[in-house]
Amino acid sequence: MQGVIGIDEVGRGCWAGPLLVVAAKANKQLPDGLTDSKKLSKNQRQKLYPEIVTSCDLGEGWVQPEEIDSYGLARAMRLGVSRALMALGVGTEDEIIMDGLINYCPEEFVNVKTVVRADASHPVVSAASVYAKVTRDAHMVRIAKYHPFYGFENHVGYGTAFHEAALRIHGVSKLHRKSFKPVKAFLI
């Protein structure tokens, strides 16, 4: 089915855990109620998730904390976008809508449009947004079992007072982004 590919990410500003970029392409009617994942409750996202999985072809582009530290956030975003597009099998001529101001697609992709708040205005980008949020959050909950002191199951790697206190007490884990200023302050 010919269609538009929507791209969004989750975890860009996190202190810990991977960045996840998702490319989505509808293969049938998208579910009602799609919007920016941040505007939906956890229950709403969980309800939409299986509907997104059955109505979209999806490509995931995971970028690990050590890659973010090595490459910087902009290059890490490009890497995630590239991985997501490759996983989805997107052609260089396919139409792509990316959430945000900056085009992180590899330069061979010639039909890319960046749209601020596309995750709220383009349903296929909303689908990528919701899928990315649910998938990455579930990943962080699984990781929390192996790193129980940091509260990843609650804040999923974002900066919170609890997270900062855990860093102060337990130090920096291998899941933390050591190049991020709030984490860097706790490196010994």
Side-chain angles (χ1 to χ4, degrees):
M1 180 177 179
Q2 195 73 318
V4 176
I5 290 89
I7 297 178
D8 200 7
E9 56 73 31
V10 68
R12 185 189 317 218
C14 288
W15 294 358
L19 167 72
L20 175 58
V21 177
V22 170
K25 182 178 182 180
N27 56 36
K28 59 182 169 185
Q29 182 69 40
L30 290 169
D32 291 332
L34 283 171
T35 189
D36 175 2
S37 65
K38 293 181 287 303
K39 293 181 179 179
L40 298 169
S41 69
K42 182 177 181 179
N43 286 340
Q44 289 172 313
R45 290 190 301 265
Q46 294 288 345
K47 185 176 182 284
L48 285 167
Y49 184 85
E51 296 179 62
I52 291 167
V53 170
T54 59
S55 63
C56 290
D57 298 319
L58 299 153
E60 299 177 7
W62 293 86
V63 184
Q64 298 306 318
E66 58 273 11
E67 293 176 304
I68 296 167
D69 289 336
S70 293
Y71 303 136
L73 200 49
R75 192 162 159 215
M77 275 294 297
R78 290 187 190 288
L79 183 60
V81 168
S82 181
R83 288 173 177 170
L85 292 172
M86 284 184 2
L88 186 56
V90 176
T92 57
E93 300 292 323
D94 286 335
E95 183 181 352
I96 298 170
I97 298 175
M98 179 174 289
D99 183 52
L101 282 171
I102 300 171
N103 177 2
Y104 290 106
C105 288
E107 60 189 33
E108 62 266 20
F109 290 88
V110 295
N111 197 4
V112 180
K113 182 167 51 171
T114 59
V115 178
V116 175
R117 291 188 273 290
D119 51 1
S121 60
H122 292 75
V124 74
V125 181
S126 303
S129 172
V130 171
Y131 179 87
K133 176 72 174 148
V134 172
T135 300
R136 186 184 181 280
D137 284 1
H139 175 75
M140 293 303 292
V141 169
R142 283 190 301 274
I143 283 177
K145 295 174 186 170
Y146 302 100
H147 300 272
F149 306 116
Y150 297 97
F152 293 140
E153 69 279 7
N154 297 315
H155 57 67
V156 296
Y158 285 95
T160 65
F162 181 92
H163 195 172
E164 184 176 355
L167 281 166
R168 186 172 289 110
I169 295 165
H170 302 289
V172 177
S173 77
K174 66 180 183 176
L175 298 175
H176 283 93
R177 300 175 185 179
K178 295 163 186 67
S179 61
F180 279 39
K181 190 175 181 178
V183 174
K184 199 183 286 190
F186 295 100
L187 289 174
I188 298 171

